């Protein structure tokens, strides 16, 4: 090290050091320079260098070598060629998380209330108002008919609350659990009826579940009363069929079929939903999602007593992917082809507990008739300006047909 370098280091130390109040006076720079260049400069220089660069007491961290990824460096990155500045939670084994594994909010959750069973939870402020009795209209024959005025009576619209029997294909999926020495049917997810003996839901709701422990309830609306115009119906599950390519991490192909031990009886409040042809496009359509899930995200959210409905626009795939990339999913996130997006309007979204529930869109050229376009799957939070993500029925229709045809299920129940 040259004398000039030592002087610079000495000046740096002198300039940065500030003595506390009533301590040794500040170092005089001129005296320090003079002292450095006296006859014993070499000795003093060595001492100064040792003092400035004395080793720390802790060992340096061991940094493992990082394999080079194949992606080109991101523009503006501070990393060397072949690397990219990425949030730590998106970097797993030096590979960028592109599918949302461990990051997305799956639309399933255990109720946080002390009474977790769907039929035992009661909210004083969320009970059915005194209904206005009306004459029910003639029930149309076929799938997918919504009853916007309700069946038999009209509640009087409250925000995001469905009328009785408005969505007759909606079902609740329950699981028998023992709680405090009592067996209760605990709410798991939503689902949709596509045939008197077949229910459509999300794979993440029923994967690895014992079919014998699952109960499906059709015709449900207000979970705190049995005094409705038509009784709800229960059926056990004989078989659960999950898509063979379902990926639990990113929820790809998030679809399952439940084959019931006994068929439901078709009633005004129990009707199948229509399934769209493969590869149908619903971009920008104004659709409905329904469920008994939480009203807000997090611990403060409460499960709903009366079936809720939310009107949502379907968001084109590219727009949805670009929006999701602005979230914690990161700029490299890739939206799987088995998904469809809807929402993005503040205050309107599906949430925890809505998993497996249907999203239905109007059938063009008909009145109050709907196709099921999606199954509630996951999202980033709830109710923000980020679209929710649904399993795409148009994409998954060939798989549905394959499963139903192999079991000789009558397709007239779910097709126009």
């Amino acid at each position: 090290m040259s004398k000039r370098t030592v002087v610079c280091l000495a000046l740096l130390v002198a300039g940065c050091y500030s003595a506390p109040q009533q301590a040794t006076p500040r170092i005089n720079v001129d005296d320090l320079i003079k002292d450095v260049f006296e006859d014993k400069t070499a000795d003093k220089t060595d001492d100064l260098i040792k003092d400035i660069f004395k080793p720390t007491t802790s060992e340096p961290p061991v940094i493992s070598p990082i394999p080079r990824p194949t992606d080109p460096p991101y523009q503006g990155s501070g990393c060397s060629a072949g690397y990219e500045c990425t949030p730590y939670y998106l970097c797993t084994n030096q590979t960028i998380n592109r599918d949302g594994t461990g990051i997305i909010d799956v639309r399933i959750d255990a109720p946080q209330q002390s009474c977790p069973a769907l039929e035992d939870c009661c909210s004083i402020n969320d009970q059915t108002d005194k209904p206005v009795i009306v004459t029910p209209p003639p029930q149309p024959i076929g799938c997918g008919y919504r009853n916007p005025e309700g069946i038999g009576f009209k509640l009087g619209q409250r925000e995001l609350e469905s009328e009785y029997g408005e969505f007759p294909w909606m079902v609740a999926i329950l699981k028998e659990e023992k709680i405090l020495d009592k067996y209760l049917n605990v709410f798991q997810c939503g689902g949709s009826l596509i045939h008197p003996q077949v229910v459509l839901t999300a794979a993440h709701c029923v994967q690895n579940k014992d079919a014998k422990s699952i109960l499906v309830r059709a015709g449900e609306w207000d979970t705190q009363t049995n005094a409705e115009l038509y009784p709800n119906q229960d059926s056990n599950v004989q078989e659960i069929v999950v898509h063979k390519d379902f990926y639990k991490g990113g929820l790809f192909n998030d679809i399952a079929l439940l084959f019931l031990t006994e068929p439901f009886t078709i009633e005004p409040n129990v009707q199948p939903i229509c399934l769209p042809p493969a590869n149908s496009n619903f971009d920008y359509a104004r659709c409905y999602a329904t469920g008994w899930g939480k009203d807000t995200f997090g611990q403060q959210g409460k499960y709903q007593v009366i079936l809720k409905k939310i009107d949502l626009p379907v968001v084109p795939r590219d727009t949805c992917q670009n929006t999701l990339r602005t979230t914690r999913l990161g700029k490299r996130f890739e939206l799987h082809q088995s998904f469809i997006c809807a929402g993005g309007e503040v205050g309107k979204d599906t949430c925890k507990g809505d998993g497996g529930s249907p999203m239905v869109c109007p059938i063009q050229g008909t009145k109050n008739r709907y196709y099921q376009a999606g199954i509630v799957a996951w999202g980033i939070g709830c109710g923000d300006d980020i679209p929710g993500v649904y399993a795409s029925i148009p994409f998954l229709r060939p798989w549905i047909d394959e499963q139903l045809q192999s079991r000789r299920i009558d397709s007239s129940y779910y097709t126009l």
Side-chain angles (χ1 to χ4, degrees), residues 24-44:
T24 305
R26 186 184 296 273
I27 296 174
N28 187 295
V29 176
D30 292 335
D31 293 341
L32 181 60
I33 295 173
K34 181 178 178 181
D35 188 55
V36 169
F37 288 103
E38 287 182 349
D39 293 339
K40 295 182 180 180
T41 299
D43 295 336
K44 291 183 177 290

Side-chain angles (χ1 to χ4, degrees), residues 3 30 88 98 124 130 139 151 159 178 197 216 218 250 252 254 272 283 301 311 361 382-383 393 397:
K3 292 180 178 179
D30 292 335
Y88 70 90
R98 297 174 185 268
I124 296 174
K130 185 177 180 180
Q139 187 66 32
I151 297 174
E159 186 179 9
K178 188 176 182 180
Q197 208 164 349
V216 176
F252 307 161
D254 190 14
D283 287 354
D311 63 299
C361 299
C382 300
I393 300 300
R397 178 65 191 270

Side-chain angles (χ1 to χ4, degrees), residues 107-388:
R107 302 305 201 204
I108 184 172
D109 193 19
Q112 301 296 323
Q113 305 167 35
S114 59
C115 299
L118 177 64
E119 62 269 37
D120 287 342
C121 296
C122 185
S123 173
I124 296 174
N125 298 319
D126 197 13
Q127 296 297 302
T128 308
D129 291 340
K130 185 177 180 180
V132 177
I133 304 298
V134 297
T135 302
Q139 187 66 32
I141 298 174
C143 61
Y145 282 102
R146 172 181 164 230
N147 300 301
E149 300 300 314
I151 297 174
F153 65 88
K154 184 174 175 62
L155 179 65
Q157 197 64 40
R158 292 199 293 182
E159 186 179 9
L160 305 182
E161 197 164 81
S162 70
E163 294 293 344
Y164 172 65
E166 183 174 357
F167 301 94
W169 48 80
M170 184 73 198
V171 303
I173 297 174
L174 314 174
K175 185 176 184 296
E176 187 178 68
E177 293 186 4
K178 188 176 182 180
I179 301 177
L180 299 177
D181 296 325
K182 182 180 180 182
Y183 285 95
L184 298 174
N185 290 318
V186 180
F187 179 73
Q188 294 291 300
C189 276
S192 58
L193 193 68
I194 62 174
H195 179 276
Q197 208 164 349
V198 184
V199 166
L200 189 61
T201 188
H204 75 258
C205 291
V206 295
Q207 187 190 37
N208 300 324
K209 294 285 196 306
D210 181 4
K212 295 180 180 179
S213 69
I214 300 297
L215 181 74
V216 176
R217 176 166 295 170
E220 184 62 278
W221 177 63
D222 184 338
T223 63
Q224 298 308 306
T225 180
N226 291 320
E228 295 159 344
L229 193 61
Y230 295 90
N232 55 51
Q233 302 178 41
D234 290 346
S235 182
N236 295 312
V237 176
Q238 181 177 5
E239 182 183 14
I240 299 174
V241 180
V242 173
H243 197 292
K244 62 182 178 60
D245 295 324
F246 171 61
Y247 169 50
K248 186 176 180 180
L251 299 188
F252 307 161
N253 305 301
D254 190 14
I255 188 171
L257 291 167
L258 307 183
F259 294 92
L260 309 179
T261 56
E262 297 292 335
F264 289 122
T265 301
I266 298 300
E267 297 283 357
N269 66 330
V270 179
Q271 298 280 333
I273 183 64
C274 301
L275 298 183
N279 301 316
S280 299
N281 190 311
F282 293 99
D283 287 354
Y284 304 109
R286 198 80 194 180
C287 306
Y288 282 102
T290 50
W292 289 279
K294 287 187 176 183
D295 51 1
T296 57
F297 186 68
Q299 295 288 340
Q300 71 275 19
K302 295 180 180 180
Y303 284 80
Q304 305 304 295
V305 172
I306 293 177
L307 182 67
K308 293 299 190 288
K309 65 179 179 182
I310 305 169
D311 63 299
L312 302 165
V314 174
V315 179
R317 178 182 179 78
D318 289 345
T319 302
C320 181
Q321 178 173 270
N322 290 336
T323 304
L324 290 171
R325 285 178 173 180
T326 66
T327 71
R328 62 178 183 261
L329 292 170
K331 58 183 175 289
R332 297 287 186 177
F333 175 75
E334 296 176 2
L335 186 66
H336 193 262
Q337 58 186 347
S338 65
F339 293 128
I340 185 174
C341 298
E345 298 178 346
V346 176
K348 290 185 175 183
D349 198 2
T350 51
C351 203
K352 295 283 188 181
D354 288 323
S357 299
M359 177 183 71
V360 299
C361 299
I363 299 176
Q364 293 185 357
T366 67
K367 183 179 180 180
N368 295 327
R369 203 172 189 186
Y370 290 76
Y371 279 134
Q372 182 171 348
I375 302 171
V376 177
W378 60 271
I380 299 297
C382 300
D384 299 324
D385 57 352
I386 305 299

